[in-house]
């Protein structure tokens, strides 16, 4: 394992912080397939993204988990900005870095993500042909989630009020840049959770289960003006041709966003694995569910990254 920092050439003078994981018996004179692992909205590389990255490295890949721009140990102001367009470009920025490493096989780079990180990964693959295959775990299209709700039961037009909230926050921030109004990406208190599944999101981010000082669980409210109209799967019907392996819990309220990805993707090599009994959050860190997900992702990446 090696901690690294590198410039993000997408602009704004941001430096990304990441952890590279190496397979057993790593030989820097050889070339290895590599996998970029993207964290959920509100998360950091030390949580579920790092867990999946370590487990996939054990299977023979070089893997890299990183903190998004404006978050974790990466630089950028304002802190906790969750701009989905920037987060999509972050995936490609990490690949830029991987192509400078002599032990990475540039022709065999895959990408995976968890929750919103999976949506950003899919969006990056639509734009960046260097991504040869895509894995998703509990995929979330963050724009769809904020427009249509966790269980896809809200009309797009009803999200106008959310856009207004974000727009007004930009005005407030402009008048007091140090303030930066915040908006929860996961329930900040147990009693704020609308259901048991999202109560588990509170538990993950705000209790010893997996809390981390760099993962406060909220974003800047101004982020809403970028998120609400964003579609992580935009033009997937034409350009998302790479192989896709989706992993989703059988009782995940967010499953519809994985269904939507596979329905829309142009890929002829696309598959969904359903983990029985798992919900959205349990695929983050519950050992038996994570191990099942890795047991599916491993042969997928071995087949598609040769």
């Amino acid at each position: 394992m090696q901690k690294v920092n590198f410039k993000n050439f997408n602009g704004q003078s941001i430096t990304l912080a990441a952890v590279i994981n190496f397979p057993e018996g790593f030989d820097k004179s050889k070339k290895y397939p590599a996998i970029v692992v993207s964290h959920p909205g509100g998360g950091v590389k030390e949580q579920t993204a790092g867990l999946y990255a370590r487990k996939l490295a054990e299977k023979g890949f070089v893997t890299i988990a990183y903190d998004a721009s404006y978050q974790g140990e990466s630089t950028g102001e304002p802190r906790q900005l969750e701009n989905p367009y920037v987060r999509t470009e972050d995936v490609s920025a990490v690949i830029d870095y991987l192509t400078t490493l002599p032990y990475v096989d540039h022709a065999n780079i895959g990408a995976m993500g968890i929750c919103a990180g999976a949506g950003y990964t899919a969006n990056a693959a639509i734009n960046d042909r260097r991504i040869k295959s895509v894995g998703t775990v509990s995929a979330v299209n963050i724009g769809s989630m904020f427009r249509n709700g966790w269980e896809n039961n809200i009309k797009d037009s009803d999200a106008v009020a959310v856009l207004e909230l974000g727009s007004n926050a930009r005005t407030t921030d402009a008048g007091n840049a140090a303030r930066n109004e915040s908006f929860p990406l996961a329930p900040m208190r147990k009693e704020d959770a609308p259901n048991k599944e999202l109560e588990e999101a509170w538990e993950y981010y705000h209790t010893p289960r997996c809390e981390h000082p760099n993962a406060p669980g909220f974003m800047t409210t101004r982020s809403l003006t970028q998120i609400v109209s964003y579609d992580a799967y935009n033009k997937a019907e034409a350009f998302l041709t790479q192989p896709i392996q989706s992993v989703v819990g059988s009782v995940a309220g967010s499953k519809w966003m994985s269904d939507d990805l596979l329905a829309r993707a142009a890929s002829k090599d696309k598959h969904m694995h359903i983990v029985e009994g798992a919900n959205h959050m349990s695929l983050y860190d519950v050992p038996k569910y994570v191990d099942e997900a890795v047991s599916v992702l491993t042969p997928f990446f071995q087949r598609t990254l040769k």
Side-chain angles (χ1 to χ4, degrees):
M1 186 181 78
Q2 179 184 4
K3 293 191 73 171
V4 296
N5 295 276
F6 50 91
K7 289 291 184 183
N8 181 336
F9 291 107
N10 293 320
Q12 303 181 66
S13 300
I14 288 172
T15 297
L16 294 179
V19 173
I20 302 177
N21 299 276
F22 302 101
E24 186 176 357
F26 173 75
D27 182 345
K28 65 180 180 181
S29 69
K30 296 181 178 180
K31 289 189 179 292
Y32 295 83
I35 302 171
V36 179
V37 185
S38 298
H39 63 72
V44 287
K45 64 185 179 303
E46 289 82 5
Q47 297 172 317
T48 182
L51 175 62
Y52 275 90
R54 290 191 300 274
K55 286 184 172 291
L56 287 169
E58 292 170 2
K59 305 301 182 181
F61 304 98
V62 168
T63 65
I64 183 167
Y66 65 98
D67 287 332
S69 295
Y70 310 102
Q71 299 172 29
E73 293 181 313
S74 294
T75 66
E77 296 288 341
R79 301 307 296 166
Q80 301 311 127
L81 182 70
E82 182 79 10
N83 183 320
Y85 302 96
V86 173
R87 285 216 53 186
T88 292
E89 285 295 323
D90 282 346
V91 181
S92 290
V94 176
I95 295 173
D96 292 343
Y97 172 70
L98 288 177
T99 64
T100 70
L101 302 177
Y103 52 80
V104 169
D105 182 352
H106 302 171
N108 284 294
I109 296 175
M112 69 153 289
I114 306 96
C115 188
Y120 299 136
T121 296
N123 200 188
I126 290 169
N127 303 321
D128 193 335
R129 304 307 299 181
R130 297 175 299 176
I131 298 174
K132 300 306 180 185
S133 56
V134 174
T136 70
V137 174
S138 295
V140 161
N141 180 343
I142 196 168
S144 294
M145 185 187 75
F146 273 88
R147 286 190 299 274
N148 307 123
W150 186 249
E151 296 178 335
N152 195 24
N153 54 7
I154 300 171
K155 295 186 298 183
D156 281 3
S157 57
D158 290 338
V160 170
V162 183
L163 276 173
E164 289 181 351
L165 183 65
S167 301
N168 292 337
R170 293 181 72 128
T171 298
T172 300
D173 292 350
N176 181 6
R179 178 175 175 179
N180 289 323
E181 287 192 10
S182 63
F183 190 92
L185 276 162
M188 299 299 290
R189 302 178 303 168
K190 183 176 182 180
E191 54 267 34
D192 294 334
N195 56 47
K196 283 290 185 181
E197 186 172 29
L198 291 177
E199 183 179 308
E200 194 170 339
W202 161 81
E203 179 187 350
Y204 181 85
Y205 285 110
H206 300 294
T207 75
R209 172 174 169 178
C210 209
E211 64 186 349
H212 191 278
N214 290 341
F218 61 78
M219 64 181 179
T220 58
T221 305
R222 65 182 290 120
S223 303
L224 292 169
T225 61
Q226 283 99 27
I227 287 173
V228 172
S229 59
Y230 172 79
D231 178 11
Y233 310 154
N234 182 49
K235 294 299 180 180
E237 299 86 348
F239 302 125
L240 186 50
T241 60
Q242 298 97 317
I244 305 168
Q245 178 63 64
S246 172
V247 179
V248 64
S250 63
V251 293
S254 58
K255 180 179 178 295
W256 63 277
M257 287 179 274
S258 294
D259 294 334
D260 188 35
L261 172 61
L262 293 193
R264 292 170 62 180
S267 175
K268 303 300 183 185
D269 182 357
K270 51 186 179 180
H271 309 275
M272 177 180 287
H273 178 81
I274 298 176
V275 180
E276 289 299 325
N279 64 19
H280 181 92
M281 300 300 305
S282 55
L283 277 167
Y284 282 30
D285 66 335
V286 175
K288 68 176 181 178
Y289 296 140
V290 171
D291 287 346
E292 183 172 339
V294 171
S295 76
V296 172
L297 291 167
T298 297
F300 168 72
F301 282 123
Q302 288 172 337
R303 175 173 65 84
T304 57
L305 303 176
K306 296 179 180 179

